[in-house]
Amino acid sequence: MTQTTALRARTLRAASATALLLALCVGATHAQNTPQAPGPKPWQDRTLSPDQRANLLDKELTLDERLGLLHGPMAIPFFPGMKLPEGAIGSAGYIAGVPRLGIPAQQESDASLGVTNPGNVRPGDTATALPSSLLLAATFNTDLAYKGGVVVGQEARSRGINVQLAGGVNLARDPRGGRNFEYAGEDPLLAGHIAGAAIKGIQSQNLIATMKHFAVNDQETGRNFANSVISEAAMRESDLLAFQIAHEVGQPGSVMCAYNLVNGAYACGNDFLLNKVLKTDWGFKGYVMSDWGAVKATDFALKGLDQQSGEQLDKQVWFGDPLKAAVQTGAVPASRVSDMSRRILRSMFAAGLFDAPPAVNVDRAANAEVSRQTAAEGIVLLKNEGNLLPLAASAKTILVVGGHADAGVLSGGGSSQVTADAAQIALPVGGEGMMAAFNRMNFHPSSPLKALKERLPQTTVRFDTGRYAAEAARKAKEADLVIVFANQWMAEGDDAPDLSLPNGQDALIAALAEANPKTVVVLQTGGAVAMPWLKQTPAVVEAWYSGDRGGEAIADVLTGKVNPSGHLPVTFPTAITQYPRAELPGLGLPDGQVFDVRYDEGSDVGYRRFAALGQKALFPFGHGLSYTTFAYSDVKVTGGDTLSVSFKVTNTGSVRGKDAPQVYLNRRPDGPAKRLIAFSKVDLAPGQSTTVTLSADMRLLSRFDAKAQKWVQPAGRYEITVAQDAEDTGLTASAQMKAATRKP
């Protein structure tokens, strides 16, 4: 190209940009000076699709109005002297509407465990606190996930909230992850279906839910600077598959991108993740919002980000004046900015935010019952030697120790913290950094001690705080049975340094078990923990963070009023050395220093890696005991185009119970490949049987070919196992499958 030709080209581009800007400005002036004609507007026609309505309305926006939909502030008093934006009800974030066109403001609230009230910004407002997402995943019950979503959606909309920042899908790649409790475990199929059902439940109540944190945001240590390094094929077969399934099931109106980098590019400015995978390959029709403080530049708009959220935490409002200037110079096409606002409007139309949905009738008692049911079904009986549980009928005196069991049940910390009751107890934890303001160990006032006393009126139930192990052990010798509560408080912003129980609780449990061989351990944790005392304790229960009716649910399981049916959604290792990164990457590095987190295990997350290496877990993924027993029989597998498995489940015990049968792929034509390919939940009376029929998603039988950009299922024989956990030998069968491929 000659210098003259190049100059002419630059002149033409500048002229085109000037003409486009002039058109936008003329349109803006005309729109601002011309009042809207009375009567219904074209975009108010409910017979049109959300896409059609959004296209019609978007054309009416001025440039400034369009930009106003693309960014917004936090709506909580996070900084001293900070005032709420005008029109904000007080929540995680606020995006102003356009009154001229009847576009409502977006009132955004955390999170998937219930409607939060950060900093008591809405004085005295309480909401139903659901159990942690990890407990929800332990139910293996998508119906409960949907019901919980309905609870969250109802209670959010009753407050005027129309965007709920809920739907955590990140896989638990490391048991020390600080936010594992907000997510749905280590398996893509389970996590995708549980999170997707919860999103679907929330959006059934006429508001927008998000799917987050996209993607591979699997540790809190250095979360703003961690660079997740992973091959495309491995990512597609693990973390991205979980998100893809959740997207297919839940159809979220928004996706929240993450803080971390993925293969060298920040997740909120990652062209591969946002433009290629999410919007092109998966056909996502909604909008991508940033996590609070995750935007680094205006050109993130070109890389797929549609909305800057919590803008005070960023260096500047990139999607305000800087984006306007970029449109004026042609650096960002005006058509892209229109696409951003159109996507937001499309999700608002799809959720019914323009159409005055009917008023919500919130029944807090009914919602609390959903929370209790979920907790009861997600509590996992890990060990029950000698059938010590349900509580021995011969026990006349029971000593309950530790865990603040007299006060309530523990909940996880951070932005997901729900204020369930004005009497909620909060113990300051301290610390420094941005999340220090949230560092409070909260206990929902549902006391397991009180619930046990109510259920055991003929038994003397005493309590010891556990502050002094020797004194607690002395009392333990005098009791017929001991129940010790052990807590691991996990929170956003911090990973656990190791798998031990903090504050000397392991030593306390060991002392109690030595003093009384009938010692039951109840764990309230954010994930897997080590158990150096396991051989000395005959019964262990994992209660997770059990929500605002957790105390009652725990007591129901311990006393046998509820037959436990939870199954582990994560592997409990014997030691952290069984995981790929024994030392957390990024520890001790200063803020601002980018570091790599290399996922050399690829798609072999959790139990998959244990199987590949022939390792045995302390408790495997899928493990969970019952007060009854179940047997599987009559396994039949059909192949061809779709792998289908049918089998009979029989309750062979003496009490009613629920089982979570699991179907695993053991071997593909090209070798071993451990994968959960299907699961179910059944409820059976003693002696009752039912036949379960399940089909496998071909992506779980396939490998992703990054070069060819497709899922590839080779022809040949596929071996499966119907089992009770990932290490159970179960019942094995096989079928011949045809070769198949699928677009990503």
Side-chain angles (χ1 to χ4, degrees):
M1 183 181 288
T2 65
Q3 185 174 5
T4 302
T5 303
L7 179 61
R8 185 179 295 115
R10 286 196 298 270
T11 302
L12 287 171
R13 285 197 298 270
S16 298
T18 302
L20 179 59
L21 178 61
L22 180 61
L24 288 169
C25 291
V26 170
T29 302
H30 177 74
Q32 289 168 346
N33 294 334
T34 304
Q36 290 290 309
K41 307 299 185 293
W43 59 85
Q44 294 174 330
D45 184 351
R46 299 188 190 185
T47 66
L48 300 178
S49 71
D51 291 288
Q52 292 171 317
R53 298 176 73 180
N55 287 337
L56 289 168
L57 180 53
D58 186 69
K59 291 175 182 177
E60 300 295 322
L61 292 169
T62 69
L63 178 59
D64 286 337
E65 287 170 341
R66 183 171 282 114
L67 290 168
L69 296 176
L70 307 185
H71 66 92
M74 301 172 68
I76 55 176
F78 195 80
F79 302 108
M82 175 180 166
K83 295 182 179 179
L84 291 183
E86 184 178 353
I89 64 173
S91 57
Y94 177 76
I95 305 292
V98 183
R100 180 180 72 87
L101 295 172
I103 300 175
Q106 294 176 59
Q107 310 276 0
E108 304 166 328
S109 173
D110 290 306
S112 50
L113 310 186
V115 181
T116 68
N117 184 15
N120 198 31
V121 65
R122 303 185 302 277
D125 186 25
T126 63
T128 301
L130 296 172
S132 67
S133 295
L134 203 55
L135 182 151
L136 176 62
T139 68
F140 277 62
N141 189 332
T142 55
D143 289 340
L144 280 175
Y146 179 84
K147 289 179 181 178
V150 170
V151 168
V152 174
Q154 282 181 349
E155 296 194 2
R157 193 156 69 78
S158 71
R159 290 159 171 77
I161 293 163
N162 53 21
V163 180
Q164 191 71 12
L165 311 176
V169 193
N170 295 95
L171 295 185
R173 281 184 173 263
D174 191 305
R176 298 164 295 186
R179 297 188 87 170
N180 282 351
F181 74 92
E182 292 186 49
Y183 302 137
E186 69 189 28
D187 178 77
L189 179 68
L190 180 64
H193 277 283
I194 291 292
I199 291 167
K200 188 175 181 179
I202 292 170
Q203 293 194 155
S204 73
Q205 301 304 300
N206 298 110
L207 68 165
I208 296 168
T210 66
M211 182 174 71
K212 63 182 186 180
H213 303 87
F214 194 67
V216 203
N217 179 202
D218 300 328
Q219 71 173 55
E220 291 297 283
T221 300
R223 66 179 182 177
N224 292 286
F225 316 108
N227 177 35
S228 301
V229 180
I230 183 172
S231 72
E232 179 182 353
M235 187 161 41
R236 294 268 195 179
E237 293 173 12
S238 55
D239 297 66
L240 290 187
L241 182 55
F243 278 100
Q244 188 174 10
I245 292 171
H247 169 251
E248 292 164 355
V249 173
Q251 294 294 305
S254 182
V255 168
M256 182 189 291
C257 50
Y259 287 118
N260 57 296
L261 300 90
V262 180
N263 293 327
Y266 276 101
C268 286
N270 196 303
D271 180 73
F272 170 76
L273 286 178
L274 304 183
N275 285 330
K276 184 182 187 315
V277 173
L278 183 63
K279 294 182 177 179
T280 301
D281 293 345
W282 300 351
F284 174 62
K285 294 182 178 181
Y287 64 102
V288 179
M289 68 164 66
S290 72
D291 205 339
W292 274 224
V295 186
K296 311 296 180 185
T298 301
D299 71 356
F300 277 27
L302 295 174
K303 297 171 182 176
L305 182 64
D306 299 306
Q307 189 180 75
Q308 180 183 8
S309 310
E311 60 193 22
Q312 303 102 312
L313 298 181
D314 291 313
K315 288 186 177 180
Q316 60 176 301
V317 183
W318 298 103
F319 282 13
D321 289 340
L323 183 55
K324 185 175 183 178
V327 173
Q328 292 169 341
T329 62
V332 174
S335 59
R336 167 58 187 140
V337 178
S338 179
D339 177 59
M340 296 160 74
S341 56
R342 182 195 59 77
R343 284 176 171 274
I344 294 167
L345 294 173
R346 193 263 176 201
S347 290
M348 295 175 74
F349 277 118
L353 303 193
F354 287 87
D355 299 330
V360 180
N361 295 316
V362 175
D363 186 337
R364 285 290 296 274
N367 290 351
E369 179 59 16
V370 171
S371 181
R372 188 203 62 78
Q373 289 176 357
T374 303
E377 197 159 320
I379 292 171
V380 182
L381 179 59
L382 294 175
K383 181 181 179 182
N384 194 20
E385 197 174 83
N387 294 322
L388 184 60
L389 294 176
L391 294 175
S394 59
K396 300 300 181 184
T397 59
I398 295 176
L399 176 68
V400 177
V401 180
H404 298 284
D406 57 332
V409 289
L410 184 64
S411 63
S415 59
S416 67
Q417 178 65 58
V418 179
T419 305
D421 191 292
Q424 189 161 295
I425 297 169
L427 303 179
V429 175
E432 56 186 14
M434 188 182 79
M435 296 305 299
F438 293 96
N439 282 352
R440 293 180 178 85
M441 193 182 300
N442 283 270
F443 291 83
H444 299 308
S446 172
S447 166
L449 177 66
K450 179 182 177 182
L452 283 168
K453 288 182 176 181
E454 290 173 350
R455 285 153 179 77
L456 301 170
Q458 305 303 317
T459 304
T460 300
V461 181
R462 303 175 62 197
F463 178 71
D464 184 272
T465 63
R467 291 179 61 210
Y468 295 97
E471 175 61 10
R474 182 189 68 78
K475 293 178 181 177
K477 291 178 182 179
E478 300 172 353
D480 294 323
L481 187 143
V482 177
I483 305 172
V484 54
F485 283 76
N487 297 343
Q488 178 208 45
W489 181 73
M490 301 290 281
E492 177 182 354
D494 282 306
D495 295 319
D498 54 46
L499 298 182
S500 66
L501 291 169
N503 303 319
Q505 292 177 97
D506 284 322
L508 172 64
I509 295 170
L512 292 169
E514 183 178 357
N516 191 323
K518 292 183 178 180
T519 293
V520 178
V521 180
V522 178
L523 297 169
Q524 298 187 105
T525 71
V529 292
M531 303 183 198
W533 34 260
L534 183 61
K535 290 182 180 179
Q536 286 73 48
T537 50
V540 181
V541 173
E542 175 57 80
W544 315 103
Y545 303 146
S546 51
D548 64 9
R549 291 297 181 269
E552 291 91 330
I554 292 169
D556 286 344
V557 168
L558 292 176
T559 58
K561 184 177 180 181
V562 168
N563 191 349
S565 64
H567 290 257
L568 291 180
V570 290
T571 301
F572 275 48
T574 58
I576 194 61
T577 51
Q578 290 182 303
Y579 279 79
R581 290 162 292 280
E583 181 175 322
L584 280 167
L587 281 176
L589 294 180
D591 279 356
Q593 183 172 329
V594 174
F595 60 92
D596 288 345
V597 183
R598 305 196 67 88
Y599 294 121
D600 295 330
E601 72 275 22
S603 64
D604 285 336
V605 181
Y607 72 88
R608 294 181 175 189
R609 185 170 184 271
F610 276 69
L613 299 179
Q615 297 182 150
K616 294 296 182 183
L618 186 66
F619 293 108
F621 173 91
H623 172 76
L625 303 177
S626 171
Y627 296 149
T628 189
T629 54
F630 298 94
Y632 305 147
S633 61
D634 301 339
V635 176
K636 298 174 184 176
V637 184
T638 58
D641 295 321
T642 302
L643 191 148
S644 180
V645 184
S646 70
F647 52 94
K648 183 186 289 185
V649 184
T650 303
N651 183 341
T652 55
S654 58
V655 295
R656 189 179 194 94
K658 295 180 180 180
D659 186 39
Q662 302 148 47
V663 181
Y664 292 90
L665 173 68
N666 285 339
R667 179 175 291 272
R668 293 161 22 103
D670 54 2
K674 194 75 171 181
R675 300 285 185 274
L676 178 70
I677 60 172
F679 64 90
S680 184
K681 197 73 180 279
V682 296
D683 184 356
L684 298 172
Q688 185 181 5
S689 298
T690 188
T691 297
V692 176
T693 301
L694 302 168
S695 296
D697 187 321
M698 71 85 63
R699 290 169 295 191
L700 295 164
L701 306 176
S702 305
R703 296 290 188 189
F704 187 82
D705 186 331
K707 185 176 181 181
Q709 285 293 289
K710 61 185 178 182
W711 293 93
V712 178
Q713 175 186 291
R717 186 155 292 277
Y718 289 72
E719 180 186 285
I720 63 94
T721 295
V722 178
Q724 294 182 337
D725 61 54
E727 292 183 5
D728 179 24
T729 55
L731 297 178
T732 300
S734 63
Q736 194 77 15
M737 297 293 295
K738 296 178 181 178
T741 61
R742 173 173 168 166
K743 293 180 180 180

